[in-house]
Amino acid sequence: MDEETWELRLYVAGQTTKSMLALANLKSYCERHLKGRYQLEVIDLLVNPQLAEGDQILAIPTLVRKVPSPIRKIIGDLSNQERVLVGLDIRAIGHS
Amino acid sequence: MPDQPSSSSTPLSQLPKALTGIEGLDEITEGGLPLGRPTLVCGSAGCGKTLLGIEFLVRGILDYDEPGVLMAFEETAAELAANVASLGFDLPQLQADKKLRLDHVHIDRSEIDETGEYDLEGLFIRLGYAIDSIGAKRVVLDTIESLFSGFSNEALLRSEIRRLFRWLKDKGVTTVITAERGEGTLTRQGLEEYVSDCVILLDNRVIDQVTTRRLRIVKYRGSTHGTNEYPYIITEDGISVLPVTSLKLEHKVSDEVISTGVADLDAMFRRGGLYQGSSTLITGTAGTAKTTLGAAFALAACQRGERTMLFAFEESPAQLLRNMATVGLDLVPFVDSGLLRIEASRPTLNGLERHLVTIHRLIGQFKPHTVIIDPISNLISVGSISEVQSMLTRLVDFLKVQGINALFTALISGGRGQQEIAQEGISSLVDTWIHVRDLEGVGERNRGISILKARGMGHSNQVREFVVTEQGIRLLDVLVGPGGIITGASRLTQHIQEQAQQIAAGQEAERRDRELERKRRVLEATIANLRTEFETVEEELRLVNSAEQQRQQTLTEDRRQLGQNFSARPPDSANGSGA
């Protein structure tokens, strides 16, 4: 399995419903599938707008998988678990 | 916004506009793009949309001190900088000066998965940050439609784009949005629905293998604007739109008169030349010395000390100088002194617009007082009649407005020639129209020159024969023969006949003189005779007289002696009694 630590970044813009939902969804997926192997950084672009350019953020919310490479991006409120897992290339553990 | 115009409170004032600084565009839009509002620039590939956007920003920074943000969806900052470096736009320097901000938006669908709801707030934040970080007043979004390739939720994109434009308006930045032209619509994604303030359409078409670029303002809410298609080209200095037909006829006129360079021709005009700042057309068939007339005009201008520019589309400068030197028009010293500049190029080298722009630019640089284009008809080979017409209109207008003395030559084919030129519309533009032509007579060709029109000046109606001599052009005196004006060999014949007549007349006069002399001599002889006769008579009379006197004397003497003989008588009574 993947031994390295996953680095995930979630870009949000303020405490919007979509952002909160995305954050909640992401946390639940990570706890289930990447427990202890991930770092999650939440970046609020309203606070740090200069960070948007670096990761080419357009849509909000955007989840960026920095490590492992290659960089993957998932936009939206992450409500579809299957798509998020496929998108991040996480093998579903205990998923029936 | 600090620059938010307060004019909204005064509805009658003109819509505030932001000058683009792009040559010609500000004239068509009558002052620039709508200030603080978005403008859509659409066109097919290779039209120069991006360039127009960048130039809008760069000119804004350099000329109007308005910082700008370029959000590029297609090209990276480095690519853009490299692309426009050749136009003299130093994007990295402007970025370093915090006048310009380039933000490349990279969209790669393969990297992005979508799940659930999202919006484009990230784009707003990025743009907002870029604008605020340098206090930008101008924004270019190039090409925002790329978003449609990156996101699948079109409905959301549309609403977000609508929101973006609204938001930009609220921010008070003047925005240029570029978009690719679609089939049957202005833009592929129908962006024109959202940008309703100003829409500029760029068009790039190839007609007869020559690319012509056209610009048209489809819409400009709240403002009048030029409605035509205006040719534009991309020069070394950026985009240049040619709005010349929008000019009003307001040019100043001069009352001064200048020489055509041919003294005899000047004399055909009542005021002895052409008006200063007027435009003159010389038409003629091949080999009728049009170029020579043009060169004479150039020489005259140089001799007046005016800066003169000669555009030659047929001959190289060296060839022209050599040829003109053979007919006594020595232009070389003026070329050397920099007073005369000869620009030679093949007409097919460029499209019409480029020619026009080149002429514009060179005139702008050299600032000549006199311009000669030889021949203007060669330009016709690079475009259709209507294009040429519009171009020539622009050119003539341009020169007139600048107050430049202009002289064009035009080659026309015989017969229908005058019609052709009239079709091209130039004849109605020029002030003076001189026509040179072949006068073909019995086995020879001669050149004839006539003035077809001269606005505001009386002129001769004669077709004058002229010759190109080693001393330049000379018009010959009008010879009226039995069948009208005569030229060439007929002229010579006439001349010889006249000479013969003259000789005959001279001889006749001599004969009469001799006759008179003879008569005089005869009379004189008669007089002498008479005088001699008179003398004879006189002498005879004198002889008679003296004889009489002698006789009287003798008589008296005799009487006295007789008296002495009779001395007793007093002498007096003796005398008296003798009677």
Side-chain angles (χ1 to χ4, degrees), chain B residues 37-82:
Chain B
R37 296 179 187 209
T39 296
L40 181 68
V41 176
C42 44
S44 48
C47 274
K49 302 184 291 292
T50 307
L51 182 66
L52 189 132
I54 293 177
E55 193 171 350
F56 168 68
L57 288 182
V58 173
R59 301 256 178 246
I61 293 165
L62 297 177
D63 300 347
Y64 309 108
D65 197 28
E66 294 193 355
V69 170
L70 173 61
M71 194 164 236
F73 293 82
E74 285 180 335
E75 292 171 287
T76 64
E79 281 166 355
L80 286 172

Side-chain angles (χ1 to χ4, degrees), chain A residues 56 58 60 72-73 75-77, chain B residues 104 106 111 113 115 119 122:
Chain A
Q56 287 292 346
L58 291 176
I60 291 292
R72 300 285 310 168
K73 285 183 196 162
I75 59 174
D77 57 16
Chain B
H104 170 59
H106 174 76
E111 282 182 7
D113 283 309
T115 161
D119 54 37

